[in-house]
Amino acid sequence: MKTIKGPAIFLAQFAGDTAPFNSFDAICEWAASLGYKGVQIPTWDGRLIDLKKASDSKDYCDELAGTAAKHGLEITELSTHLQGQLVAVHPVYDELMDGFAAPEVRGNPKARQEWAVDQVKRALRASKHLGITAHATFSGALAWPFLYPFPQRPAGLVEAAFAELGKRWTPLLDYADEHGVDLAYEIHPGEDLHDGVTFEMFLAEVKNHPRANLLYDPSHFVLQQLDYLDYIDIYHERIKAFHVKDAEFNPTGRQGVYGGYQSWVNRAGRFRSLGDGQVDFGAVFSKLTQYDYASWAVLEWECALKHPEDGAREGAEFIKHHIIRVTERAFDDFAGAGTDDVANRRILGIA
């Protein structure tokens, strides 16, 4: 078995226009001061990374990694959550999704998709330059507006959506393979890949591509009442990244999973800072350790109540406390009788 690496922190929710959150150097110094050992970088945020330079120049990537190392940090993964979302967008979301794209491609869905594909490719090249073997992203969604089957979905609608999703992602998965990087899709409501069944449907369309893998985040499963521990048992071989995020689900006589269009504060299901929700992280870390997950445990802070800096400070200690330093020997070795094939055969009554 291997020991999970960490604690690490996803910088997306913390980047801002004031120090220490407005440059990669300063935010790394801040993260290190809290006890983090790694940072996951959102590639859409130009305050933290120049993705074009990172994709074109290994020297730039060496400098970026050097900045992190100066503070005792490693770069765990790059993220294209926002760009990956734009690989597949249903037209009903065009105006909302335009905000994720570069200004020059807004209002032009075809150009926006081409830009998104290029962004993911650039992030994969940058990952190779950095020596990173997993990349965090979203799948995007074509079928999501039809999640609830009323009015009745036309026969073949969902199948056509997943066939198109597979068609769009297969070249990117091949490109990831050429660069030695796994695409780790965060399974997330709003994406067509939002649970195990939909991931399996996608896998079928990409012919079980070895680079089609998972970013595990139990919080999204709490909110849809999916067994997040059984999920690890089923999909552990595909889990290549891990967001440590908490959540709670408190249904009432007025609302449940759908949330009644309420704000995050007032939803039955809401994200919480680590330790304030309902995820059994002792069991999560035990399962992942059991299955030899050896990559990073990365805090993704999202909470409707707590201040982010408090969540970040508490999160470092929380993750550190939950990482299991694996044993190098069996607990009952003291009672071992040694290994002797002849004796074993005699004990078993084998001639």
Side-chain angles (χ1 to χ4, degrees):
M1 295 183 295
K2 299 173 184 175
T3 298
I4 295 171
K5 294 186 284 188
I9 185 170
F10 187 27
L11 299 177
Q13 286 83 4
F14 299 95
D17 292 327
T18 58
F21 308 109
N22 58 348
S23 74
F24 188 62
D25 184 41
I27 204 169
C28 281
E29 182 178 15
W30 168 78
S33 73
L34 299 179
Y36 288 101
K37 304 299 182 184
V39 289
Q40 186 180 85
I41 304 176
T43 62
W44 60 86
D45 197 317
R47 292 166 296 199
L48 304 181
I49 186 173
D50 185 324
L51 182 56
K52 185 177 186 304
K53 285 184 179 179
S55 64
D56 292 339
S57 170
K58 189 176 185 307
D59 287 343
Y60 173 84
C61 288
D62 289 344
E63 292 174 7
L64 198 70
T67 298
K70 179 176 69 174
H71 300 290
L73 299 171
E74 295 181 47
I75 298 172
T76 65
E77 299 95 7
L78 302 181
S79 154
T80 55
H81 283 84
L82 300 191
Q83 303 99 312
Q85 178 82 59
L86 301 182
V87 170
V89 178
H90 188 280
V92 73
Y93 290 113
D94 272 340
E95 189 170 347
L96 293 174
M97 294 298 181
D98 265 353
F100 294 166
E104 63 269 20
V105 299
R106 294 173 186 168
N108 185 337
K110 183 176 183 295
R112 184 185 62 204
Q113 183 193 344
E114 291 171 351
W115 173 85
V117 167
D118 179 67
Q119 288 278 295
V120 174
K121 286 183 174 180
R122 287 185 177 279
L124 291 169
R125 295 201 300 272
S127 294
K128 182 179 181 180
H129 290 159
L130 288 162
I132 294 171
T133 58
H135 177 69
T137 196
F138 278 152
S139 68
L142 298 173
W144 181 256
F146 309 101
L147 177 70
Y148 196 81
F150 186 84
Q152 187 180 66
R153 293 187 292 250
L157 179 74
V158 171
E159 290 79 3
F162 274 81
E164 179 63 23
L165 195 67
K167 179 181 176 182
R168 295 187 189 188
W169 276 103
T170 294
L172 287 167
L173 288 163
D174 290 342
Y175 196 81
D177 193 41
E178 292 170 14
H179 290 78
V181 181
D182 290 310
L183 281 172
Y185 295 99
E186 182 168 358
I187 303 304
H188 189 289
E191 312 302 316
D192 279 345
L193 307 191
H194 57 268
D195 58 14
V197 171
T198 51
F199 178 63
E200 290 174 16
M201 292 166 65
F202 178 71
L203 277 182
E205 295 297 336
V206 298
K207 297 179 173 56
N208 290 308
H209 202 294
R211 294 297 181 178
N213 290 293
L214 296 166
L215 185 160
Y216 175 73
D217 182 336
S219 69
H220 300 301
F221 302 147
V222 169
L223 300 194
Q224 58 180 300
Q225 293 295 280
L226 184 153
D227 188 329
Y228 56 84
L229 297 176
D230 191 43
Y231 182 97
I232 298 174
D233 289 331
I234 298 168
Y235 301 111
H236 58 90
E237 292 180 353
R238 293 273 182 176
I239 295 173
K240 305 297 182 182
F242 173 27
H243 273 176
V244 190
K245 187 166 70 174
D246 212 342
E248 62 184 353
F249 181 66
N250 300 304
T252 69
R254 291 188 171 90
Q255 60 158 301
V257 169
Y258 298 118
Y261 296 113
Q262 298 303 294
S263 67
W264 278 111
V265 171
N266 296 316
R267 290 176 67 89
R270 58 188 183 179
F271 301 123
R272 297 301 308 275
S273 283
L274 290 183
D276 295 342
Q278 297 168 345
V279 175
D280 183 351
F281 280 106
V284 167
F285 275 82
S286 293
K287 287 270 189 190
L288 290 172
T289 301
Q290 170 190 340
Y291 287 120
D292 224 18
Y293 173 78
S295 194
W296 289 88
V298 181
L299 169 74
E300 183 184 25
W301 178 88
E302 290 179 350
C303 184
L305 301 177
K306 185 169 287 185
H307 193 283
E309 293 180 45
D310 293 338
R313 185 186 66 253
E314 295 170 3
E317 281 301 313
F318 186 94
I319 294 172
K320 182 180 178 181
H321 173 74
H322 279 83
I323 290 174
I324 298 168
R325 184 161 69 106
V326 299
T327 182
E328 297 174 351
R329 59 186 177 86
F331 67 88
D332 56 354
D333 277 356
F334 74 94
T339 301
D340 184 328
D341 185 59
V342 173
N344 288 343
R345 294 175 66 83
R346 184 172 64 250
I347 291 168
L348 291 169
I350 302 173

